[in-house]
Amino acid sequence: MSCTAFKVDSKNNDLITYLDDFVITENPEDFNDFGGISGIDQINDSTYILVADSPTNPRLYSIRLKVENKKFNEVELLRKHQLQNLDNNKFYDLESIRYGEANNNYWLSSEGNIKQKQPAFIAKLSTNFKAVEHIEFKPPYTIENSQHNGMFEGLDIAKDGFWFANELPLKTDGNKPRLVDNYSPVRLAFYNFKTKNISNAYAVNLSRVKKIPLLPYFVNGVTEILQLSETNFLWLERSYSAGHKSKGNNVFLWLVTTKNATNVAKVKSLKNHKSKIKPAKKELLFDFNSIKPQLKQNIVDNIEGISFGPQLSNGNRSLILVSDNNFNSFAPQINQLILLELKL
């Protein structure tokens, strides 16, 4: 198979433009454990909340991010927030955070620990960061049907519920992405607060792994979602191939549209009903490889979080993305912030 088979076929859509990036290189004394940032959300135009992916010490950070003239003007860590009232029987492998403005609360997604038989869940936190509710789900979201390190990764809050997505397909839904095109659907699902059930779900097929690994590990999965309208979502996917050092990540931002897609909320197995299911439409908006020469360190790291940023002077919305440096556990990585302009 030729090398060209592993390139992205589509070009960037002009609906998104790169503006700036910032790398947090020095941590103040009060933030010497800063890192592993897997999610971000906006509190107001200049204040954001971050979540650290650290199961042994789950925590959040407040950060000031000021944007002026389409550039990061100020980046300042403000405060660390230790989570309280945690359930000792649950595994807090936190992957996403969302701020519920209407009730001044916070929502977190956790992948759990499937190998240790600890299920994934969505947690609600009070204003003072106390866990007040843990939501688990009925089949097909069982331990036996879950992929380890492949569960609840994407999350966004709506007025009457929340949307969430697995990083990888459930076992009865499809296969993990490979180096060639494959049937790898994950469920973009909506949990209704009133009924306390999943009322809507749509199949979104993950793209293939984009680079041949030099070591025996590769993965491609969704790392975050962000709702734009009733049927449109930003969909962040990260492909990683081991052995390429700082060049192992390939990150893509897609537009997912659920309009006219089949509601699979009551479908037990997507692959067993593949011919009857119309998946959500997925269109490539932005390939982060295209901006490597413009980035301050010329690398795209492990991008896992996305949030709306402030409104720009021309009226367009901005997007802010963050990377998870895995606490430099595997290789040197960076705490990266990327600023984009959204023209939708």
Side-chain angles (χ1 to χ4, degrees), residues 138-141 145 170 172-173 183 185 187 189 198-203 261-278:
K138 300 175 182 178
Y141 296 97
N145 202 28
L170 295 169
T172 56
D173 282 347
Y183 187 64
R187 297 174 185 237
I198 294 172
S199 58
N200 295 74
Y202 304 96
T262 305
N263 185 352
V264 297
K266 296 183 179 180
V267 177
K268 294 181 179 179
S269 169
L270 299 185
K271 65 182 178 183
N272 288 345
H273 298 84
K274 180 180 176 181
S275 62
K276 299 179 182 179
I277 294 172
K278 183 176 182 180

Side-chain angles (χ1 to χ4, degrees), residues 218-276:
F218 58 82
V219 67
N220 183 66
V222 57
T223 61
E224 192 56 282
I225 60 174
L226 192 61
Q227 187 172 17
L228 298 175
S229 67
E230 184 178 352
T231 59
N232 290 335
F233 298 80
L234 292 178
W235 180 270
L236 187 66
E237 282 188 28
R238 179 230 37 235
S239 173
Y240 174 75
S241 297
H244 293 274
K245 298 183 179 181
S246 63
K247 298 180 180 180
N249 292 300
N250 287 267
V251 182
F252 304 89
L253 193 58
W254 303 81
L255 177 65
V256 165
T257 303
T258 60
K259 185 179 180 180
N260 300 322
T262 305
N263 185 352
V264 297
K266 296 183 179 180
V267 177
K268 294 181 179 179
S269 169
L270 299 185
K271 65 182 178 183
N272 288 345
H273 298 84
K274 180 180 176 181
S275 62
K276 299 179 182 179

Side-chain angles (χ1 to χ4, degrees), residues 41-42 48 226-228 306-310 317-320 342:
D41 205 19
Q42 183 183 43
Y48 297 78
L226 192 61
Q227 187 172 17
L228 298 175
I306 183 171
S307 167
F308 286 117
R317 294 295 301 267
S318 63
L319 299 170
I320 297 177
L342 178 65

Side-chain angles (χ1 to χ4, degrees), residues 140-180:
Y141 296 97
T142 62
I143 288 285
E144 296 74 20
N145 202 28
S146 300
Q147 301 279 5
H148 184 69
N149 282 338
M151 290 303 291
F152 304 151
E153 189 91 12
L155 178 68
D156 204 8
I157 303 301
K159 181 179 179 180
D160 51 351
F162 58 77
W163 291 92
F164 67 100
N166 289 7
E167 180 179 1
L168 297 172
L170 295 169
K171 292 179 181 178
T172 56
D173 282 347
N175 300 311
K176 295 180 182 179
R178 300 170 182 166
L179 288 164
V180 295

